Amino acid sequence: MMTFANKFVTELSPYEQFFVALALFSRSLAWYQMWLNWPYFSKQQKVFPVHLAMPRPLVFFTCSGHYLSIIYVVWPLLFNQALPASFAGLVFGVLCGVTIGFWVFVYEAADYGELYEKAQRKKTKKQRAADDQIKLSYPSSFFIDTINHLPLLVLFSKIAYDAGPDAFAWGSIWLAPAWGITWLVGIFMPWRMIGGDALYADLRDDKSFGHKATVVIKLIVITLVGYILGHYLNAPFVEGVQRVAGVVGGAVGLLGGEL
């Protein structure tokens, strides 16, 4: 453990260290939000057994993207060799898919703050009791959701860029959607069968088979789109940011010299 810690400090760049720290922090926020709403999770909701509440934040597709990104960064510390550049493209595609999926398909303003409170007050006691049986109803944090669905993608763009042009080779485009299917079959389905928790509203029992099938299609499409965006836009984006940073740094240095 000490060897790993030493390697983490000495072999990773400060940028990579910050990325891993932010990724772990973002995941810890999920447990923090659960802790804030623990009376609801432990006593009120009947969607899944209480003993599954603590591992639940590990199961979401968003989590899988975050942990894949951490694995990519720390892999050389553990095994003394870097993962293939194509793994960076896979991670970028998943993170981009996670970001697109949340802000386009999942985000609802009514999940936050006063809008959430108003929506809950409009429900009758019978409606709330029915909700407790089939879906989770607790206030979300816009700050936490934003941390989980944007900054890591932006920061990982440079790590993917540093992996070289092979990161987004067309021959590896299948990797990102393949991970989506792997998560669905290897993580989501066992979790669903063990605890009855659908994780996402669109996969609940009250949704039709056709509706659930569209979710699978969306999962494949958003990861494909994420990879394609990486292929075309990641290098121009990173190089543009570097140029802007260079100009700003030069201007600051010039002003500092004049002062």
Side-chain angles (χ1 to χ4, degrees):
M1 188 65 182
M2 286 302 297
T3 301
F4 175 81
N6 290 334
K7 286 185 174 182
F8 185 87
V9 173
T10 59
E11 297 184 17
L12 292 185
S13 68
Y15 186 92
E16 291 169 325
Q17 294 171 14
F18 176 75
F19 177 87
V20 173
L22 181 62
L24 293 174
F25 172 70
S26 72
R27 298 316 324 141
S28 69
L29 290 175
W31 275 287
Y32 174 68
Q33 183 160 296
M34 181 171 289
W35 175 76
L36 289 177
N37 295 283
W38 185 246
Y40 171 78
F41 280 103
S42 61
K43 298 177 182 178
Q44 189 172 332
Q45 65 85 22
K46 306 299 179 185
V47 176
F48 61 89
V50 178
H51 70 273
L52 293 178
M54 295 311 295
R56 188 174 189 266
L58 296 170
V59 186
F60 289 91
F61 187 58
T62 297
C63 306
S64 76
H66 292 178
Y67 289 124
L68 284 176
S69 67
I70 294 172
I71 289 171
Y72 178 79
V73 175
V74 305
W75 187 272
L77 308 183
L78 298 171
F79 301 103
N80 297 316
Q81 62 179 2
L83 283 166
S86 57
F87 197 92
L90 154 66
V91 173
F92 184 94
V94 172
L95 290 177
C96 194
V98 162
T99 303
I100 295 171
F102 177 78
W103 294 108
V104 175
F105 300 117
V106 177
Y107 169 78
E108 291 285 348
D111 290 337
Y112 308 100
E114 185 59 28
L115 289 178
Y116 171 82
E117 297 298 335
K118 286 182 179 179
Q120 293 303 304
R121 286 196 293 268
K122 289 180 180 179
K123 292 180 179 179
T124 64
K125 186 176 181 179
K126 186 176 181 179
Q127 287 174 326
R128 286 194 293 271
D131 285 349
D132 291 339
Q133 297 290 332
I134 196 169
K135 68 179 183 179
L136 299 177
S137 299
Y138 62 96
S140 298
S141 165
F142 184 77
F143 169 76
I144 292 176
D145 282 342
T146 301
I147 289 292
N148 282 329
H149 300 96
L150 187 59
L152 291 178
L153 169 64
V154 175
L155 291 174
F156 192 81
S157 62
K158 182 182 183 304
I159 296 174
Y161 176 82
D162 291 341
D166 289 342
F168 296 104
W170 286 123
S172 301
I173 192 173
W174 60 275
L175 288 174
W179 175 252
I181 300 301
T182 300
W183 169 83
L184 190 68
V185 175
I187 298 177
F188 170 77
M189 290 182 67
W191 175 264
R192 185 80 167 92
M193 290 186 289
I194 291 170
D197 178 16
L199 292 177
Y200 298 100
D202 286 336
L203 294 173
R204 294 194 315 244
D205 288 339
D206 59 335
K207 304 298 182 182
S208 67
F209 175 81
H211 186 89
K212 294 174 184 177
T214 63
V215 177
V216 178
I217 295 172
K218 289 176 183 177
L219 183 64
I220 295 172
V221 170
I222 60 177
T223 49
L224 275 174
V225 169
Y227 191 94
I228 293 169
L229 289 175
H231 179 87
Y232 285 111
L233 299 180
N234 191 57
F237 170 73
V238 173
E239 291 169 0
V241 171
Q242 289 174 337
R243 283 194 294 270
V244 171
V247 171
V248 172
V252 171
L254 182 62
L255 289 174
E258 292 178 350
L259 293 174

